[in-house]
Amino acid sequence: MDVCGAANHNLTIWRARFSALIDREIHEAAQNLISPNQCFSDAVDARQEIDLRIGASFTRFQTMLLRDKFVIDSAQDDRNLVLSYGPCQFPTLGFIVERYWEIQSHEPEEFWTINCSHKSDEGIANFSWMRGHLFDYTSAVILYEMCVQEPTATVMKVHQQEKRKYPPHPLSTIELEKRASRYFRMSSELTMKVAEDLYQAGFISYPRTETDGFSSRTDLHTIVREQQEHPVWGSYAQRLLDPGTELWRNPGSGGHDDKAHPPIHPTKFSAGESAWSLDHHRVYELVVRHFLACVSQPAIGAETIVEIDIAGEQFSASGRVILVKNYLDVYRFESWGSSMIPTYVQGQRFLPTTLALDSGVTRPPPLLSEADLLSCMDKAGIGTDATMHDHIKKLLDRFYATKDTNTRFSPTNLGEALVMGYDDMGYELWKPNLRSMMEFDMKQVSMGCKRKAEVLDTCLQQMKACFLDARVNKVKLLEAMAIFFGRSDRYGGNDHHVAAEIVRPCGLCQESNMVLRRSRDGNFMVGCLGFPQCRNAIWLPGPVLEATVSTNICNCCTPGPVYLIQFKFRQLEIPPGFNVNHLGCIGGCDETLRQLIEICGTGSRVQARGHAPNPTPGNLQQNNIRRGTCIHCQQLGHASSNCPSQFSASRHAQFNGMRPQTGESSVSCGTCGAQCVLRTANTANNRGRKFYSCPSQGCNFFVWEDNSNNGTYGTNANVSNSASNPSWSRRGGRGRGTQGGGTFVSATGDPVSGRCYMCGDPSHFANTCPNRGSRW
């Protein structure tokens, strides 16, 4: 903190600088006055003027443009609604919206991996495949078959080394906010409020600092000595000061120094004041423990890495033993788990206890937590250590974003609409680039490399051009808002954006309705009105030109009522044989819509923005995020590896040549007898490839056409799902053989000519061998 004053004899201004409200710091600052830094002052003035001009202009522009034209559900009194804009606030919102778009655009993709374990008297070692995983199922099966046929593992390398886990750097403001959010789920705003209270009472140093390294002049031993009487960590402080323990270590530095204040550290001992809240206790404890940790030796452990070879495939397992905890004894917020594995020697050979081909599904990234968001802002130079928490709070106050109980952020309709509107204008005002350049220029001013007037002129002229362009292209902002909000009666409530057309009750949240909406790209979707709490959404086929909800109700789809939608498709974008006009149901019973999505993909908003890969075939009822949903039947309650539809009897089909009524090639499904029409895939990996799939709901028969012509099956011959069909891996134990007469099918569709490597019996594999336990 700086306190300025003027000497009477020459009117010279001096500055007393201190970082803690304690006698020692204040007396030292008063006895060592310094002159103010004009460059620092100019940088602060430049930032204030830039932020005020930009914020006032854009806030007035978008508030006056949008407030009276739309019914914004977040506003209790839309007459007093302020749609604020800030050059730091909007890039912060941009991080949240961009992550949300990444999640929306994610398409789950199944992968396969080989897992191996070995049990001995010393314990169990779980070996990971060093390839990680493969997305190509056939390749994974071939490699797995090789391992099954030659299962003996050979230890290729045993590597033992000492590992060190270093303590954190001294505490800066950003790290304090991030760690309080991560450890205690405290918001950055609350953390700074509590830290300010502790500073004002003299218990910690100034909490607004970018510095993460102590000066050589800091008396670190005195700070530790003051904590020796604490009932919890006092004994650790005594050990630190004992030279015989060799626990002391001069703290490292993260390389940041704001030239004003030291890292946050305790300045006065307290065993807990009576007036403190639980949050005050937590923040004070974090500051003290963090300081004690950063002047301590790192934790030391012994790590063993074992690499084995099975039929040319490499696997590895690792174990760690903590030898000395050191700073982990006091820093209870971090851990360094240990795991023991059996002893191996190079050249040793053994048979695995289990050897399995398992499947998994790629997952979207999680929503940004508060710690993640602070890291994004810090990395991009958005805001200062003293203002970042204010920008986050402003997003919540303006209802541009919401924060759940796990401190993860989601954009609201309002926040997403504003970002989308400015993005459509072509100016990335929601991106951190412009603000990062401004912050760099202002830092140059603080260093004396640039003049204040020069930076003001450059930044303001740049943003003025953006502002004038935004006024010209304000229709983009209006179009984006119209996607999410109905028009206000004051603006004329009879245009085509007024009311969202209800299609059906939401089957996910079971509280709100799902309505038909159209994005500004012309793509249609049916989404839940409970957004953002419920993110259930159904993207309709990409070729849809027009869509309106009819009064007709589907007789079979539940929960109902499910209103049919009158579609009009673009003639040039749909395959031959499909009508341009179609009255369809989005409940899952409409075969025409299902086929169009498989062939043409969906019109996802994010795909249209260029954020997503090519669409893959999907069920019409799937949720965009698909958390906890089976990728095969799109039902909740089980994973793809346990999908009941994949454990039916072996599926066979008869190839019947041409369908006489249409002239199309077809096969008969051996499970339900339906005619399987030839279709064309539109996925990234199989674009243009022909396939047959059963049209019957609940039947998952699928086969590629090229498999029908290469000897796998022919006219009037039985067809079975081979390794080219990924669904095969989830029948009969996911490729590990089956009991009850089941056989292991190779990647070519033929039975494996192998046997159980435990007992030699060809009727089963090692994972189901009745004699397996006796081998150990």
Side-chain angles (χ1 to χ4, degrees):
M1 178 175 287
D2 298 326
V3 176
C4 296
N8 293 329
H9 60 282
N10 56 7
L11 296 180
T12 301
I13 296 177
W14 297 94
R15 182 175 64 174
R17 187 170 70 186
F18 51 91
S19 299
L21 291 176
I22 56 178
D23 293 345
R24 183 181 67 253
E25 286 269 350
I26 296 175
H27 290 160
E28 183 178 350
Q31 295 168 6
N32 297 276
L33 299 177
I34 60 176
S35 58
N37 189 316
Q38 185 62 44
C39 294
F40 286 178
S41 178
D42 287 345
V44 171
D45 290 343
R47 178 180 284 106
Q48 288 180 339
E49 184 170 347
I50 290 173
D51 289 351
L52 178 60
R53 286 175 176 265
I54 295 173
S57 301
F58 276 93
T59 296
R60 180 177 176 81
F61 161 68
Q62 62 189 28
T63 299
M64 300 304 292
L65 175 66
L66 305 174
R67 182 176 61 187
D68 295 333
K69 292 182 176 63
F70 296 94
V71 179
I72 300 176
D73 49 20
S74 62
Q76 296 180 353
D77 182 3
D78 57 359
R79 285 294 187 180
N80 296 322
L81 176 66
V82 176
L83 302 179
S84 64
Y85 178 98
C88 289
Q89 174 188 337
F90 249 62
T92 304
L93 174 61
F95 291 127
I96 298 173
V97 173
E98 191 166 33
R99 173 57 62 87
Y100 172 70
W101 282 346
E102 289 177 12
I103 296 172
Q104 290 286 77
S105 66
H106 176 76
E107 291 288 344
E109 188 173 359
E110 194 161 16
F111 59 81
W112 288 266
T113 186
I114 302 175
N115 290 318
C116 170
S117 70
H118 178 228
K119 181 179 180 180
S120 70
D121 294 337
E122 299 180 65
I124 299 178
N126 294 309
F127 291 88
S128 300
W129 196 18
M130 294 182 70
R131 290 182 187 268
H133 54 253
L134 295 179
F135 290 98
D136 185 82
Y137 174 71
T138 304
S139 299
V141 170
I142 292 173
L143 295 174
Y144 175 62
E145 291 172 4
M146 294 167 57
C147 294
V148 168
Q149 291 174 350
E150 300 179 13
T152 302
T154 303
V155 178
M156 306 301 295
K157 183 188 297 184
V158 178
H159 182 59
Q160 295 179 329
Q161 61 182 358
E162 181 181 277
K163 279 284 187 177
R164 291 174 177 261
K165 182 176 178 63
Y166 283 89
H169 295 304
L171 197 58
S172 64
T173 301
I174 301 304
E175 278 302 311
L176 174 63
E177 294 172 342
K178 288 163 59 176
R179 291 175 186 266
S181 173
R182 191 179 300 124
Y183 302 150
F184 313 130
R185 299 190 183 280
M186 291 176 60
S187 68
S188 54
E189 177 201 8
L190 177 59
T191 299
M192 290 308 298
K193 180 180 183 303
V194 171
E196 186 70 27
D197 291 342
L198 294 174
Y199 164 71
Q200 294 288 354
F203 290 101
I204 67 172
S205 62
Y206 191 58
R208 291 180 170 85
T209 176
E210 298 177 4
T211 306
D212 53 13
F214 284 104
S215 166
S216 58
R217 301 188 303 272
T218 305
D219 188 356
L220 302 176
H221 286 80
T222 298
I223 301 175
V224 174
R225 194 173 293 114
E226 291 176 345
Q227 298 295 327
Q228 290 185 102
E229 302 303 319
H230 196 277
V232 179
W233 54 76
S235 59
Y236 185 87
Q238 295 171 12
R239 289 173 53 201
L240 267 174
L241 297 174
D242 183 359
T245 62
E246 298 183 349
L247 184 57
W248 182 275
R249 168 182 171 269
N250 290 328
S253 171
H256 301 91
D257 188 355
D258 60 12
K259 307 297 183 183
H261 303 286
I264 304 171
H265 61 275
T267 54
K268 186 167 64 173
F269 168 80
S270 175
E273 305 300 307
S274 59
W276 282 3
S277 67
L278 177 61
D279 293 327
H280 287 79
H281 283 279
R282 285 173 169 174
V283 172
Y284 181 74
E285 179 186 3
L286 174 58
V287 171
V288 176
R289 287 185 183 270
H290 194 101
F291 173 77
L292 296 177
C294 72
V295 295
S296 302
Q297 292 289 347
I300 302 174
E303 186 175 66
T304 301
I305 301 175
V306 179
E307 296 181 9
I308 63 173
D309 180 281
I310 302 177
E313 291 301 303
Q314 281 71 48
F315 300 81
S316 68
S318 63
R320 182 191 306 115
V321 177
I322 299 178
L323 303 178
V324 185
K325 295 185 70 173
N326 286 335
Y327 89 93
L328 291 177
D329 281 330
V330 71
Y331 206 60
R332 67 177 182 86
F333 313 110
E334 289 186 0
S335 61
W336 197 26
S338 60
S339 58
M340 297 288 293
I341 61 172
T343 302
Y344 295 93
V345 295
Q346 188 170 348
Q348 177 182 345
R349 296 167 66 84
F350 61 87
L351 286 175
T353 305
T354 62
L355 190 61
L357 178 64
D358 293 323
S359 64
V361 179
T362 58
R363 302 292 182 186
L367 293 167
L368 290 177
S369 67
E370 186 147 7
D372 296 332
L373 185 56
L374 288 166
S375 295
C376 291
M377 297 171 68
D378 186 34
K379 184 177 180 180
I382 301 301
T384 65
D385 59 289
T387 61
M388 287 185 185
H389 64 283
D390 286 329
H391 303 315
I392 296 175
K393 180 178 182 296
K394 187 65 69 176
L395 296 181
L396 300 175
D397 291 344
R398 299 300 187 197
F399 204 70
Y400 292 168
T402 60
K403 184 170 66 171
D404 61 22
T405 55
N406 294 320
T407 71
R408 295 195 177 275
F409 291 88
S410 302
T412 61
N413 288 344
L414 179 58
E416 187 176 2
L418 291 173
V419 169
M420 188 184 298
Y422 283 114
D423 186 49
D424 289 343
M425 293 179 188
Y427 283 101
E428 295 185 334
L429 298 177
W430 57 281
K431 290 280 193 176
N433 308 333
L434 286 173
R435 185 62 187 187
S436 294
M437 289 188 291
M438 292 181 189
E439 291 288 354
F440 177 79
D441 286 343
M442 286 181 278
K443 187 173 183 179
Q444 293 294 100
V445 172
S446 68
M447 298 170 59
C449 300
K450 284 188 176 182
R451 293 181 297 107
K452 169 186 169 183
E454 175 187 356
V455 170
L456 279 174
D457 183 66
T458 301
C459 293
L460 293 178
Q461 286 298 324
Q462 186 180 42
M463 292 306 298
K464 182 179 180 180
C466 293
F467 177 76
L468 295 176
D469 190 75
R471 292 178 60 184
V472 173
N473 294 283
K474 61 184 180 182
V475 65
K476 299 291 186 182
L477 202 54
L478 293 170
E479 289 174 352
M481 289 288 291
I483 297 173
F484 299 95
F485 302 102
R487 297 280 185 169
S488 170
D489 292 337
R490 292 189 297 271
Y491 185 70
N494 58 353
D495 74 11
H496 66 284
H497 292 294
V498 173
E501 299 177 285
I502 297 177
V503 179
R504 66 174 303 174
C506 179
L508 185 60
C509 69
Q510 300 180 350
E511 295 180 356
S512 301
N513 290 317
M514 299 189 72
V515 298
L516 178 67
R517 288 174 174 164
R518 184 174 186 176
S519 73
R520 85 271 181 267
D521 298 299
N523 295 315
F524 287 86
M525 55 89 72
V526 177
C528 181
L529 287 173
F531 178 90
Q533 286 73 25
C534 179
R535 301 183 182 279
N536 192 14
I538 300 170
W539 285 99
L540 302 178
V544 175
L545 178 63
E546 297 177 6
T548 56
V549 180
S550 71
T551 57
N552 299 323
I553 298 176
C554 179
N555 295 324
C556 59
C557 290
T558 57
V562 179
Y563 291 93
L564 302 184
I565 300 177
Q566 181 64 55
F567 294 98
K568 183 176 182 180
F569 301 109
R570 299 181 183 90
Q571 180 69 64
L572 297 178
E573 296 183 18
I574 59 175
F578 288 88
N579 292 325
V580 173
N581 297 302
H582 175 69
L583 183 64
C585 174
I586 57 89
C589 67
D590 195 316
E591 177 63 19
T592 298
L593 293 182
R594 188 173 75 87
Q595 291 180 15
L596 285 174
I597 286 180
E598 288 179 346
I599 297 171
C600 305
T602 60
S604 167
R605 174 181 69 252
V606 183
Q607 293 173 9
R609 301 184 74 82
H611 293 292
N614 292 322
T616 58
N619 188 286
L620 192 63
Q621 291 178 299
Q622 68 191 8
N623 188 309
N624 279 329
I625 302 180
R626 305 189 214 184
R627 290 175 179 168
T629 306
C630 174
I631 67 170
H632 298 291
C633 67
Q634 305 304 324
Q635 300 300 314
L636 298 173
H638 63 265
S640 61
S641 58
N642 299 318
C643 180
S645 64
Q646 303 301 318
F647 288 91
S648 59
S650 58
R651 297 166 189 159
H652 299 280
Q654 295 280 334
F655 183 74
N656 295 333
M658 306 294 290
R659 298 180 70 188
Q661 63 271 36
T662 63
E664 297 176 344
S665 178
S666 66
V667 298
S668 294
C669 178
T671 301
C672 64
Q675 291 293 312
C676 304
V677 183
L678 182 65
R679 299 172 184 166
T680 303
N682 191 40
T683 63
N685 296 330
N686 295 291
R687 191 179 305 281
R689 192 176 180 187
K690 306 288 187 179
F691 66 91
Y692 298 97
S693 67
C694 184
S696 300
Q697 189 174 11
C699 181
N700 293 321
F701 170 76
F702 174 95
V703 69
W704 293 109
E705 183 203 28
D706 47 21
N707 286 346
S708 68
N709 299 323
N710 62 8
T712 304
Y713 68 91
T715 304
N716 298 325
N718 284 337
V719 180
S720 63
N721 286 349
S722 68
S724 62
N725 181 7
S727 66
W728 166 87
S729 68
R730 291 168 295 279
R731 296 200 317 274
R734 297 193 299 197
R736 289 178 281 177
T738 61
Q739 302 184 49
T743 59
F744 187 94
V745 182
S746 72
T748 62
D750 300 320
V752 173
S753 58
R755 62 185 187 276
C756 172
Y757 59 79
M758 291 291 184
C759 66
D761 190 337
S763 66
H764 61 259
F765 281 89
N767 65 315
T768 58
C769 180
N771 301 320
R772 186 176 68 179
S774 62
R775 295 295 299 269
W776 309 110

